[in-house]
Amino acid sequence: MTAISHRAELLAGRYGFRHAARMEWIKLRSLRSSVWVLATTAAGMIVIGIVTIAATEAPQAAAAEPVDPLNNLLAGLILGQLLIGGLGVLVVTGEYSSGAIRSTLAAIPNRRLLLAAKAGVFGAAALVVGELVTFGTFFAGRLALTEAVARPGLGDPGVIRALVLFGVYLAMVGLIGIALGAVLRHTAAAIGTLAGVLFVVPGVLAGLTGTTVAKFFPTMIAGNSLAVTEPADDVLSPWAGFAVLCLYVSVALAAGGWMSARRDA
Amino acid sequence: MIEVRGLTKRYGSTVAVGGLDFDVRPGVVTGFLGPNGSGKSTTMRMIIGLDRPDAGTAHINGTPYHRLAWPLREVGALLEARTFHPGRSAENHLAALAAGNGIPRARVRAVLDTVGLSDVAARRAGGFSLGMSQRLGIAAALLGDPPVLLFDEPVNGLDPEGVRWLRGLVTSLAAEGRTVLLSSHLISEMALTADRLIVIGRGALLADSSVAELTREGRSLEEAFFELTGDSAEYRGNDHAQHRRTR
């Protein structure tokens, strides 16, 4: 009963992105589950990358296409995107299922601003993890490569670009997860949709129609356009693929912002 | 001061709240009474902007909730028992909210102390009992030291000591000149706590008067309530004994 009588001094101005982002940052790091998922994602993906790269065999002299060890190295990381994306989903849906969204919105009634803060904070964390994983796998994988395969170096053409963009890609999947969470509000529905978009649909399309449509799906862009030093002719170029991904993320987040502003909490 | 004008909310063809008008004034405890499903919670959710009204407005000191500069410093609300993530500690939950509205960190400790949760502040809130969850919700409402407070069924899950504590808290908040809106369907609790009453049924205003007026001529508040809400109870059980006789 002692604490309620002294009024906090009133600040000038009003709440903004900075406040919402500080709130989201405290929320992100105070959930042990999210910290664990990010840490195990990082560790698990690096291990997968090393295992994949260790299995890379030297190209036969007669092989028509030279092997791209970088692609093998990063392709192993494709599975990990579901963890980062799933965590992005939970950043939003976890609040709806627990009821925490009501206290969050009481503090930050501007729902688009709130979603922007969630995307900014989680996107930044996922970007750090994504780049750590990508570069970590690259350096560890180089050591695991058999003697017969030429080791790729950071200075080789396209390598830095592939590594940086792949790390960014992982963060972008996290943002798509956030957007799906905001649109669907249910964990299972959002993670199911995410898995469908990332794995099932492009897999089926690739089987039916080859790369014609499948090349526009995020996983295909990541594996065939971003994570290679020299993409094949029938897929998007790295920067075209990256531009398409940027478009997806913007549209998804805009839809999430629109939906959360429109619906009752 | 809360001003509600023509507030309306429909769910499909059902009118949850229909053209509600009332003021909640500072300095007194205003009780918000009505049968289950009468629209109390929907009204409170619209006041703090969680639900968007189909028509009408709810202003807090002249401003709609979503336009407030520092919402938690201007309005504190306890709407449902569990409005926190079960994996987060009470302290981190409040610290996040404080950061969101530029509230000094010291307030977190202060309100935890006020509601008696200091000893469990570092524990995962998911393990809290209903009563402890209510206390955490009350702590969140008090966090910004706001001049306007809304409590929806705050005594749910509180033990007798807690009920008495809450009664004292609510009364003293009003005595400090704050605006306090308190919903409950416990009429006896209202009789002890509220100075004024707003009674609604089926989303419409049935009474807006002082407790003294409603209980004049020796009528109990319960009798007055049933007289007012006689036709508007949405859900009504039947007499158990009578039910057996007809079988």
Side-chain angles (χ1 to χ4, degrees):
Chain A
M1 286 298 300
T2 52
I4 49 164
S5 47
H6 54 83
R7 295 215 51 187
E9 82 281 10
L10 267 178
L11 291 183
R14 58 187 299 123
Y15 77 89
F17 181 83
R18 197 165 53 91
H19 303 94
R22 278 191 57 206
M23 176 173 85
E24 288 302 320
W25 171 237
I26 293 175
K27 288 203 282 193
L28 184 67
R29 67 181 162 80
S30 63
L31 267 194
R32 224 176 302 162
S33 52
S34 7
V35 175
W36 273 107
V37 170
L38 280 176
T40 47
T41 304
M45 286 170 80
I46 292 178
V47 170
I48 292 174
I50 294 172
V51 171
T52 322
I53 200 76
T56 302
E57 288 175 9
Q60 305 290 317
E65 301 246 338
V67 75
D68 187 344
L70 190 71
N71 190 19
N72 272 15
L73 193 157
L74 296 178
L77 306 187
I78 278 296
L79 266 179
Q81 65 178 328
L82 195 57
L83 287 172
I84 290 189
L87 196 54
V89 165
L90 281 173
V91 164
V92 178
T93 58
E95 291 217 25
Y96 281 96
S97 58
S98 64
I101 189 67
R102 286 183 266 282
S103 38
T104 300
L105 286 177
I108 311 286
N110 183 337
R111 299 180 185 188
R112 283 196 177 89
L113 181 80
L114 178 70
L115 189 68
K118 279 185 188 298
V121 168
F122 182 71
L127 181 63
V128 170
V129 171
E131 297 295 354
L132 273 176
V133 164
T134 311
F135 278 87
T137 310
F138 176 76
F139 288 115
R142 249 164 56 97
L143 300 177
L145 212 51
T146 53
E147 297 277 322
V149 185
R151 287 187 178 171
L154 272 184
D156 294 354
V159 168
I160 288 267
R161 182 262 304 147
L163 293 177
V164 170
L165 285 191
F166 197 82
V168 175
Y169 170 73
L170 292 175
M172 289 171 121
V173 175
L175 294 180
I176 291 175
I178 289 207
L180 280 176
V183 170
L184 296 169
R185 293 190 178 181
H186 285 101
T187 309
I191 290 185
T193 307
L194 185 70
V197 169
L198 292 181
F199 297 116
V200 183
V201 179
V204 170
L205 283 173
L208 291 177
T209 62
T211 55
T212 321
V213 188
K215 70 180 174 192
F216 292 104
F217 278 78
T219 306
M220 298 294 181
I221 294 176
N224 299 319
S225 302
L226 302 187
V228 290
T229 47
E230 191 66 47
D233 292 337
D234 57 348
V235 295
L236 301 175
S237 78
W239 292 106
F242 184 66
V244 169
L245 288 171
C246 287
L247 181 72
Y248 292 164
V249 170
S250 321
V251 169
L253 284 175
W258 187 72
M259 289 289 276
S260 46
R262 216 175 126 260
R263 289 160 71 193
D264 290 342
Chain B
M1 176 89 162
I2 304 171
E3 294 154 290
V4 168
R5 292 290 175 274
L7 203 61
T8 302
K9 182 73 183 177
R10 295 182 209 95
Y11 296 106
S13 60
T14 317
V15 178
V17 176
L20 215 49
D21 290 295
F22 61 81
D23 288 345
V24 186
R25 273 161 254 174
V28 290
V29 176
T30 303
F32 197 21
L33 269 177
N36 290 340
S38 58
K40 299 189 297 289
S41 297
T42 306
T43 302
M44 289 176 124
R45 291 167 57 84
M46 286 193 283
I47 292 174
I48 71 157
L50 291 175
D51 288 3
R52 183 204 291 246
D54 291 308
T57 56
H59 284 184
I60 289 141
N61 296 326
T63 312
Y65 192 89
H66 70 271
R67 303 255 309 269
L68 295 173
W70 304 101
L72 298 184
R73 293 160 171 255
E74 297 172 64
V75 183
L78 167 81
L79 289 198
E80 270 158 84
R82 292 199 163 86
T83 55
F84 49 78
H85 195 291
R88 204 170 279 125
S89 71
E91 189 170 16
N92 282 326
H93 169 68
L94 296 173
L97 293 176
N101 272 205
I103 296 164
R105 181 64 197 250
R107 286 290 299 165
V108 171
R109 280 274 149 205
V111 294
L112 281 169
D113 187 51
T114 303
V115 302
L117 289 181
S118 294
D119 292 344
V120 292
R123 255 199 257 160
R124 292 172 78 255
F128 282 9
S129 67
L130 180 57
M132 290 160 87
S133 302
Q134 288 284 21
R135 287 171 187 267
L136 180 52
I138 294 164
L142 298 175
L143 188 62
D145 202 10
V148 175
L149 288 134
L150 287 81
F151 297 108
D152 193 7
E153 305 285 354
V155 298
N156 274 358
L158 290 181
D159 55 18
E161 189 279 329
V163 173
R164 192 161 70 175
W165 164 77
L166 184 84
R167 205 181 292 144
L169 174 75
V170 166
T171 314
S172 72
L173 288 168
E176 289 165 7
R178 300 178 207 247
T179 304
V180 182
L181 182 63
L182 170 76
S183 96
S184 177
H185 38 241
L186 298 179
I187 296 172
S188 51
E189 197 47 46
M190 280 299 187
L192 287 169
T193 321
D195 309 294
R196 291 195 62 81
L197 277 184
I198 291 164
V199 185
I200 66 171
R202 291 184 188 267
L205 190 69
L206 299 176
D208 179 358
S209 65
S210 71
V211 174
E213 266 172 74
L214 284 171
T215 56
R216 68 186 182 278
E217 294 159 12
R219 196 168 57 160
S220 79
L221 189 56
E222 193 176 57
E223 285 163 347
F225 176 79
F226 284 122
E227 239 167 73
L228 283 165
T229 61
D231 301 325
S232 58
E234 191 94 10
Y235 309 103
R236 183 171 282 141
N238 293 300
D239 189 318
H240 177 60
Q242 190 183 7
H243 193 65
R244 274 208 311 210
R245 272 200 303 276
T246 57
R247 260 208 309 201

